[in-house]
Amino acid sequence: GENVEQHPSTLSVQEGDSAVIKCTYSDSASNYFPWYKQELGKGPQLIIDIRSNVGEKKDQRIAVTLNKTAKHFSLHITETQPEDSAVYFCAGLYGQNFVFGPGTRLSVLP
Amino acid sequence: DAGVIQSPRHEVTEMGQEVTLRCKPISGHNSLFWYRQTMMRGLELLIYFNNNVPIDDSGMPEDRFSAKMPNASFSTLKIQPSEPRDSAVYFCASSLGTGTSNQPQHFGDGTRLSIL
């Protein structure tokens, strides 16, 4: 079936610490996995994505890792800042449609 | 560059009334998606268009919901008659190519709909 699980549902970290959010996907997911950040009152915005031909991708303080064998992928945010506080969604591509995880509410405490 | 534009941003109406949500995708994008977001169910895909043609409407809750895309730069989602359980934030997103081309979706800022 088409399913994306995401953990944790909420995460609080101190400013400057790292945050890690993990997602697992079911067998039939395709080879493209984006991560979105949603701030209050706004739509989800793409922050990073990964395709299955690579195991890791970095963009400044954000990185995503993909483990195809275990069927999970993770978002890593280093040196967190208050503006990183938001809800983060992972997604898997099933056929022509994305299935989104339930989201992680990240709070970065000053 | 202009992103996906949705209107209205907020809509409050009484149950039984017709509601029309509007979306202008990013110029040049040929796929358009309508989503509904609630606390209980998260982000749910309602319907997906490619080159103005509806490809998958299996997420549309019931016959009260309908969506159209008369041209490449405009789409509507209509609810008639509306019910309180339709209250949610409705998002429109667009992308290049089809979903299978592994292109990211770009979201608008949504319409917050409240049915009293």
Side-chain angles (χ1 to χ4, degrees), chain A residues 85-101:
Chain A
S85 296
V87 179
Y88 291 80
F89 293 94
C90 61
L93 182 61
Y94 290 86
Q96 299 181 32
N97 302 321
F98 287 108
V99 174
F100 287 84

Side-chain angles (χ1 to χ4, degrees), chain A residues 26-90:
Chain A
S26 56
D27 284 345
S28 53
S30 186
N31 299 319
Y32 175 65
F33 304 94
W35 283 91
Y36 286 83
K37 174 184 181 182
Q38 186 175 21
E39 297 176 323
L40 193 62
K42 303 224 171 213
Q45 299 300 309
L46 179 75
I47 55 172
I48 196 167
D49 55 14
I50 192 167
R51 291 172 170 80
S52 62
N53 57 341
V54 297
E56 183 176 8
K57 182 177 177 181
K58 284 185 180 180
D59 183 3
Q60 299 182 1
R61 296 186 296 108
I62 295 173
V64 56
T65 58
L66 173 64
N67 184 326
K68 290 183 63 180
T69 303
K71 292 185 173 56
H72 67 70
F73 55 111
S74 299
L75 177 71
H76 304 253
I77 306 174
T78 59
E79 301 173 29
T80 53
Q81 300 169 5
E83 52 264 39
D84 295 330
S85 296
V87 179
Y88 291 80
F89 293 94
C90 61

Side-chain angles (χ1 to χ4, degrees), chain B residues 27-31 50 94-99 101-106:
Chain B
S27 178
H29 283 189
N30 59 350
S31 291
N50 183 246
S94 70
S95 72
L96 283 170
T98 66
S101 67
N102 296 348
Q103 294 298 316
Q105 296 181 10
H106 300 265

Side-chain angles (χ1 to χ4, degrees), chain B residues 57-76:
Chain B
D57 65 354
S58 58
M60 296 285 262
E62 48 197 273
D63 292 346
R64 298 184 297 105
F65 285 69
S66 63
K68 294 182 180 179
M69 191 164 186
N71 57 62
S73 59
F74 183 66
S75 177
T76 60

